[in-house]
């Protein structure tokens, strides 16, 4: 059996989540090749070649893939698909964007956001915002799968895979990239951080999120937010944790001023230890918290920062 | 141009689902149903484009049992001009939904198809992209801003790390993210008027598509329960517990 794993990257840096997707591929079992599609992405190709257990790295370095537009990347992956039984991508925005196109062209169903591999054709995935866990068997000849990275442990980076340069460039010419607007952050990536501290509507405004920064710095934590905080305009939407935002599973998740709606819990309830700080003793977040502190966050946060 | 808006009837997002005792699926008997929240945003965007003079007609379409007419009527009350129900009592997988919608696209020739980015029941996030692939259209997924000009649509997308804007040739597919807009509420007179708007019912048999699912649902289980936590009385106690008991900070 052979498996193609699509590498998530920004043309400079391979995303650590790809190492977790390779881990899922190893559980399926077979020869694993990694595809790096981008422009001027040699650094990523080198990093991908070091992923443990990878047979080949396919490098498609071309202007057509500069921004990994779904129209172009899906054509490339579909072309390569003939040689593979399984095609895997991480369930991040790039993979979620182009993979269903690949599945549709190959005329197969896609299995989205798997959290466990039971066999080469049986997978486990959450449904209904994580309130139910489905075990599904794919009856298609080819399996097109996206992987929830937080559910797998990253593989090592001590490999030395062969690099194969692909020279085909497929440009659908139906879409073009206009601009990017990325949120600057020196903190760890929300999806990869070991500690996450999130604020909700209880923070009252964007300025008060500064109260989380000192604590985040002391713990090496990423800062997240609930949908209520994002919708209220306190913080940008890429900080949102939940069913419709990012799914995180850090060692420690600290929820501050977050009531704990189903939608939010879907994004963080697999965290190892959950701490809730909320002044409402009835807040549903206390039902999933390992440690709950009933307190006004405006008193608790400065004290916590001071004592860490 | 016409805008086609596929919508889905799903469990109301406030309802906590329960898994059936025999693990065959979740229990949807006597549960409140509603338009999938992302589809609601899609309907709203289509109506705004009509109000702005960009669109001439908004067509809502849904695939499912007769009960999904309720959600189509809601879309009509919100401002859609007419509706199509593709009648089936089967669970239809995303790929087959996309194939059925492809036929509707062939017939209606919309300039834009706006879908929700995912339905909150299956959480698949596939249908829009699959429809785009089948129709050969470009796609703007996870849209937080949509601007139509000069036979193109500029879509600002919510991606990991921030926002990305792409320009798509029309006709195109857009899938909505939460922050695209704030859906309006249907007013009572509009709900009454919606009852008289056209709603075509088609049978899946008319489409000649094999709807056999490719994925077999083996079982559905409740998620692992977290062990009951404790309430701490002070920050000192919290820090102490995190250091000595949970050992997640040092």
């Amino acid at each position: 059996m052979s498996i193609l794993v699509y590498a998530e990257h920004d043309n400079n840096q391979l995303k650590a989540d790809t190492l977790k997707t390779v881990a899922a591929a190893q559980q399926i079992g077979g020869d694993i090749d990694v595809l790096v599609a981008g422009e001027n992405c040699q650094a990523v190709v080198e990093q991908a070649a070091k992923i443990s257990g990878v047979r080949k790295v396919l490098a498609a370095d071309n202007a057509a893939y500069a921004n990994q537009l779904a129209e172009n990347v899906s054509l490339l992956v579909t072309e390569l698909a003939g040689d593979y039984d399984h095609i895997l991508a991480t369930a991040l925005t790039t993979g979620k964007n182009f993979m269903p196109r690949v599945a549709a062209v190959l005329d197969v169903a896609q299995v989205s956001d798997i959290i466990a591999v039971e066999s080469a054709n049986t997978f486990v995935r959450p449904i209904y915002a994580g309130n139910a866990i489905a075990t599904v068997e794919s009856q298609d000849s080819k399996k097109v799968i996206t992987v929830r990275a937080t559910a797998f442990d990253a593989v090592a980076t001590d490999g030395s895979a062969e690099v194969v340069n692909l020279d085909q460039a497929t440009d659908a010419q139906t879409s073009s990239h206009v601009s990017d607007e990325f949120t600057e952050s020196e903190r760890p990536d929300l999806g990869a951080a070991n500690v996450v501290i999130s604020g909700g509507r209880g923070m009252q405004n964007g300025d008060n999120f500064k109260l989380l920064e000192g604590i985040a710095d002391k713990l090496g934590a990423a800062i997240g937010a609930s949908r209520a905080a994002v919708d209220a305009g306190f913080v940008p939407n890429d900080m949102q944790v939940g069913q419709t935002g990012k799914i995180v599973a850090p060692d420690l998740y600290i929820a501050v001023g977050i009531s704990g709606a189903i939608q939010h819990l879907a994004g963080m309830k697999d965290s190892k230890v959950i701490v809730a700080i909320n002044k409402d003793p009835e807040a549903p977040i206390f039902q999933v918290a390992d440690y709950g502190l009933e307190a006004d966050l405006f008193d608790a946060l400065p004290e916590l920062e001071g004592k860490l | 141009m016409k805008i086609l808006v596929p919508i889905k009837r799903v469990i109301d997002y406030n309802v906590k689902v329960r898994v059936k005792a025999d693990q065959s699926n979740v229990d949807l008997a006597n549960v409140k149903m509603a338009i999938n929240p992302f589809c609601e945003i899609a309907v709203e965007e289509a109506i705004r484009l009509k109000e702005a003079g960009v669109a001439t007609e908004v067509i809502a379409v849904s695939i499912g049992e007769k009960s999904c007419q309720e959600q189509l009527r809601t879309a009509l009350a919100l401002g859609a001009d007419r509706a199509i129900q593709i009648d089936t009592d089967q669970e239809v997988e995303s790929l087959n939904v996309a194939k059925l919608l492809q036929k509707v696209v062939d017939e209606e020739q919309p300039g834009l198809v706006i879908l929700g980015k995912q339905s909150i029941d299956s959480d698949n996030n596939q249908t829009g992209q699959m429809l785009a692939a089948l129709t050969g259209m470009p796609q703007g997924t996870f849209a937080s801003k949509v601007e139509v000009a000069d036979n193109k649509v500029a879509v600002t997308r919510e991606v990991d790390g921030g926002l990305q804007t792409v320009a798509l040739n029309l006709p195109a597919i857009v899938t909505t993210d939460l922050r695209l807009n704030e859906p309006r509420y249907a007013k009572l007179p509009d709900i009454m008027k919606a009852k008289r708007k056209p709603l075509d019912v088609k049978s899946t048999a008319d489409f000649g598509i094999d709807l056999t699912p490719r994925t077999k649902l083996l079982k559905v289980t409740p998620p692992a329960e977290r062990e009951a936590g404790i309430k701490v009385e002070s920050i000192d106690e919290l820090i102490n517990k995190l250091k000595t008991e949970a050992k997640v900070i040092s």
Side-chain angles (χ1 to χ4, degrees):
Chain A
M1 235 169 11
S2 54
I3 305 171
L4 183 67
V5 174
Y6 184 84
E8 279 266 352
H9 64 90
D10 60 1
N11 287 324
N12 297 310
Q13 190 73 36
L14 180 75
K15 279 205 184 149
D17 287 342
T18 301
L19 303 176
K20 299 176 181 175
T21 304
V22 170
Q26 286 182 345
Q27 291 184 20
I28 292 168
D31 293 325
I32 300 168
D33 293 351
V34 172
L35 170 65
V36 177
E39 189 185 26
N40 297 326
C41 56
Q42 273 313 305
V44 180
V45 172
E46 282 162 29
Q47 291 160 34
K50 293 199 180 86
I51 303 175
S52 179
V54 169
R55 177 178 65 172
K56 279 189 292 190
V57 174
L58 310 179
D61 194 329
N62 191 288
Y65 311 125
N67 297 289
Q68 301 177 59
L69 294 174
E71 294 77 14
N72 299 351
V73 170
S74 61
L75 286 174
L76 172 70
V77 175
T78 311
E79 264 183 42
L80 298 171
D83 298 336
Y84 297 96
D85 306 290
H86 291 74
I87 300 160
L88 269 60
T90 315
L92 291 168
T93 46
T94 306
K96 286 184 195 172
N97 191 29
F98 82 83
M99 282 289 267
R101 282 188 86 107
V102 172
V105 173
L106 297 174
D107 196 31
V108 301
Q110 172 179 296
V111 185
S112 293
D113 220 7
I114 64 163
I115 56 170
V117 174
E118 292 217 328
S119 73
N121 61 3
T122 307
F123 310 95
V124 181
R125 59 179 301 265
I127 51 176
Y128 293 90
N131 288 303
I133 307 297
T135 304
V136 298
E137 184 185 279
S138 165
Q139 291 166 332
D140 282 309
S141 54
K142 276 188 206 300
K143 276 66 168 167
V144 173
I145 296 166
T146 62
V147 177
R148 178 175 295 191
T150 55
F152 296 89
D153 293 324
V155 297
T157 50
D158 53 3
S160 54
E162 176 199 354
V163 174
V164 179
N165 287 304
L166 304 177
D167 47 16
Q168 71 253 58
T170 47
D171 193 338
Q173 300 197 325
T174 51
S175 62
S176 56
H177 178 260
V178 178
S179 61
D180 286 323
E181 195 183 315
F182 290 121
T183 312
E184 303 271 328
S185 175
E186 282 154 24
R187 296 214 164 73
D189 187 50
L190 191 53
N194 292 323
V195 182
V196 172
I197 182 163
S198 288
R201 202 197 299 272
M203 299 300 291
Q204 293 181 3
N205 60 49
D207 280 346
N208 289 334
F209 266 75
K210 291 200 179 78
L211 293 169
L212 303 180
E213 288 175 9
I215 299 169
D217 288 341
K218 288 194 171 171
L219 294 174
I223 298 181
S226 70
R227 182 181 158 193
V230 173
D231 280 352
F234 299 172
V235 290
N237 54 43
D238 57 327
M239 285 170 64
Q240 184 186 322
V241 173
Q243 183 186 20
T244 55
K246 291 207 171 65
I247 313 277
V248 302
D251 292 338
L252 173 60
Y253 187 90
I254 307 174
V256 185
I258 292 176
S259 65
I262 293 174
Q263 190 300 123
H264 185 74
L265 300 182
M268 46 63 81
K269 67 180 175 175
D270 293 324
S271 305
K272 207 167 120 203
V273 175
I274 297 172
V275 170
I277 301 175
N278 204 302
K279 65 180 175 189
D280 174 10
E282 302 298 322
I285 190 79
F286 285 125
Q287 290 163 21
V288 299
D290 299 281
Y291 303 105
L293 176 66
E294 214 181 292
D296 189 322
L297 65 93
F298 296 102
D299 301 327
L301 290 177
E303 190 186 343
L304 177 61
E305 183 181 345
K307 288 180 171 167
L308 279 173
Chain B
M1 70 179 175
K2 285 189 205 175
I3 299 183
L4 185 71
V5 187
I7 61 171
K8 187 175 183 185
R9 174 184 164 93
V10 298
I11 189 167
D12 185 274
Y13 72 95
N14 284 309
V15 176
K16 192 163 179 198
V17 298
R18 271 199 308 273
V19 171
K20 285 184 188 167
D22 66 358
Q23 300 194 339
S24 61
N25 210 329
V26 299
D27 193 354
L28 293 181
N30 304 315
V31 169
K32 189 182 173 211
M33 304 294 277
I35 298 191
N36 179 44
F38 292 100
C39 302
E40 232 178 338
I41 295 169
V43 171
E44 175 68 28
E45 194 66 16
I47 295 163
R48 287 187 191 189
L49 287 167
K50 195 183 166 200
E51 287 168 347
V54 174
T56 50
E57 188 182 29
V58 175
I59 308 156
V61 54
S62 192
I63 300 165
E65 290 178 17
K66 192 168 186 229
S67 53
C68 76
Q69 288 187 8
E70 197 186 316
Q71 277 63 46
L72 286 169
R73 289 286 174 203
T74 305
L76 292 170
L78 291 168
D81 296 289
R82 58 186 170 94
I84 303 167
Q85 181 216 348
I86 301 176
D87 188 62
T88 175
D89 54 6
Q90 242 184 300
E91 275 272 321
V92 187
E93 282 181 354
S94 305
L95 179 64
N96 293 331
V97 169
K99 286 181 179 178
L100 290 169
L101 292 175
Q102 183 194 2
K103 297 277 185 185
V104 180
V105 167
D106 284 348
E107 196 172 305
E108 300 286 351
Q109 298 287 318
L112 208 53
V113 185
I114 310 181
L115 306 89
K117 79 164 175 183
Q118 75 190 64
S119 64
I120 59 163
D121 51 359
S122 58
D123 280 334
N124 273 327
N125 194 334
Q126 301 174 356
T127 305
Q129 296 90 317
M130 288 178 159
L131 179 62
L134 296 176
T135 56
M137 290 185 197
Q139 67 187 43
T141 52
F142 326 141
S144 61
K145 196 173 163 197
V146 174
E147 283 177 312
V148 179
D150 304 330
N151 221 19
K152 280 191 190 245
V153 56
V155 179
T156 302
R157 309 178 51 233
E158 296 193 10
V159 295
D160 296 320
L163 299 171
Q164 178 192 62
T165 303
V166 291
L168 313 173
N169 297 349
L170 292 175
I173 307 278
V174 169
T175 75
T176 64
D177 216 321
L178 277 172
R179 273 159 294 277
L180 180 59
N181 60 46
E182 184 99 15
R184 68 193 70 186
Y185 291 96
K187 295 190 195 79
L188 188 59
D190 294 334
I191 295 170
M192 301 309 287
K193 267 187 244 163
K195 290 182 179 160
R196 292 193 301 271
K197 287 188 180 177
L199 193 162
D200 285 345
V201 180
K202 300 192 178 193
S203 153
T204 47
D206 300 344
F207 293 85
I209 289 165
D210 177 11
L211 297 178
T212 315
R214 316 289 189 81
T215 312
K216 195 165 148 194
L217 185 61
L218 299 181
K219 66 172 176 182
V220 176
T221 55
E225 294 269 341
R226 289 189 76 94
E227 271 182 49
I230 55 161
K231 285 259 177 97
V232 294
E233 296 301 325
S234 67
I235 291 285
D236 289 317
E237 191 188 348
L238 175 63
I239 293 176
N240 184 37
K241 293 275 186 199
L242 291 177
K243 280 183 178 166
T244 57
E245 200 175 271
K247 298 192 173 73
V248 284
I249 60 175
S250 51

